[in-house]
Amino acid sequence: MSDHDEAGTVRPSALAWVGRQLAAGERVVATEALHGGITAEMRRLTIGTRDGGTRALVLRTFVDPSFVAQAADLLNREADVLALLAGTGVPAPGPVAVDPAAAHCEYPSLLMTHLPGRTVLDDRGLEARVPLLARQLVAIHAVRPAVRPREYEAWTTADAVVPPDGADTAAWAAATDVIREPAPPYEGRFLHRDFHPGNVLFDVAPPGPAGPRITGVVDWVQTSWGPVDLDVAHCSTNLALLHGPAWGLRFAEAYEEAGGVLAAAAGERLYWRLLDALAFSTGVRWVARPWQEAGRTELTTRTVEGRLDAYVTALLDTLG
């Protein structure tokens, strides 16, 4: 077996466990690290088949101690969600096997099918991709599971917000006061909860008349039940930090153009949008790192913090 790079190496127990999930005559012939994740190691496994061909699987492994403790819940939830999505038309991986308590692998792991395509984080072509992202999120919110996933969790509180250096202190104080209030009432829906360009795969064929298309949505460990505004808010914040604040504002418009329905009151929309944006205040460098690894080296921590500050101010000016 040859590795694409050392980071792609699969640990011995995990490799043996994967082997037990394969069909007779199949074996792992190559592994490759997939970059872009923050909380888990992701590897693409090339499987040699009996007829001399190949197919691919993906292995998610939680190794960070802060996530290993909750890995069983996260991996079981994702495996269940992937099984649910198999009949919905949402392009998600299929679950193959899960070892949530590391009974067989060195660390908690999930084995799933591999989807074609790749993440696209460039500014070029964004105008065509944003409507596709919006339509895909509307389709996710249309899923009606027989059993609801867990209720959403807020990823920050007013007391945890730390404005970036040089931020507009008055704007951040006003924004923090908004999320200090009780959450607005909402009609719950099925949420991805971490929907953003880094978790969406696009076709990689040369540009043609048909334009780009989405081939998959990945990373379903945070799936929840809650307000669609929160999923829209999370993608909006990511677009604002990746491509500029105007694109964060544009995404909500695209979601409605695609048939999605957001909170009727501007103040309610502002609450959900700020609840997500302010959650980035203490983790910008962790968010920027995979973007830099993907080639967006200009997105330094300071640059992304500046975009976050501008986006928070733009939300207050637009919806406040």
Side-chain angles (χ1 to χ4, degrees), residues 230-310:
L230 196 52
D231 254 3
V232 171
H234 191 59
C235 191
S236 295
T237 305
N238 276 271
L239 287 169
L241 303 188
L242 262 171
H243 306 292
W247 287 105
L249 299 176
R250 168 70 185 116
F251 185 69
E253 298 174 353
Y255 181 81
E256 291 187 297
E257 291 166 0
V261 179
L262 296 172
E268 294 177 356
R269 297 185 183 204
L270 180 64
Y271 176 91
W272 299 116
R273 218 75 64 81
L274 288 174
L275 184 66
D276 185 81
L278 298 184
F280 283 72
S281 68
T282 57
V284 165
R285 68 188 182 99
W286 300 109
V287 172
R289 185 187 66 191
W291 296 342
Q292 294 163 3
E293 292 174 350
R296 298 293 304 274
T297 55
E298 80 282 9
L299 293 179
T300 64
T301 298
R302 186 67 195 99
T303 296
V304 178
E305 285 178 341
R307 289 184 173 183
L308 178 61
D309 180 40

Side-chain angles (χ1 to χ4, degrees), residues 14 66 114 258:
S66 61
H114 176 268

Side-chain angles (χ1 to χ4, degrees), residues 59-143:
L59 180 68
R60 177 196 291 280
T61 306
F62 282 103
V63 298
D64 188 315
S66 61
F67 287 97
V68 167
Q70 54 182 320
D73 286 341
L74 294 173
L75 294 179
N76 280 324
R77 181 183 310 129
E78 183 166 31
D80 289 344
V81 170
L82 296 183
L84 162 72
L85 293 172
T88 64
V90 174
V96 175
V98 61
D99 183 21
H104 306 284
C105 305
E106 288 85 349
Y107 294 96
S109 300
L110 171 66
L111 186 65
M112 64 193 100
T113 59
H114 176 268
L115 297 175
R118 62 175 176 85
T119 57
V120 182
L121 305 180
D122 301 335
D123 289 337
R124 186 177 61 181
L126 182 61
E127 186 172 353
R129 296 195 306 273
V130 164
L132 298 181
L133 290 168
R135 288 199 291 272
Q136 184 61 74
L137 192 54
V138 170
I140 290 170
H141 294 160
V143 172

Side-chain angles (χ1 to χ4, degrees), residues 153-190:
E153 295 178 0
W155 290 343
T156 193
T157 64
D159 293 335
V161 173
V162 179
D165 291 340
D168 184 330
T169 54
W172 277 74
T176 303
D177 284 343
V178 170
I179 70 166
R180 200 180 300 277
E181 297 297 318
Y186 63 88
E187 183 177 358
R189 287 288 184 268
F190 182 84

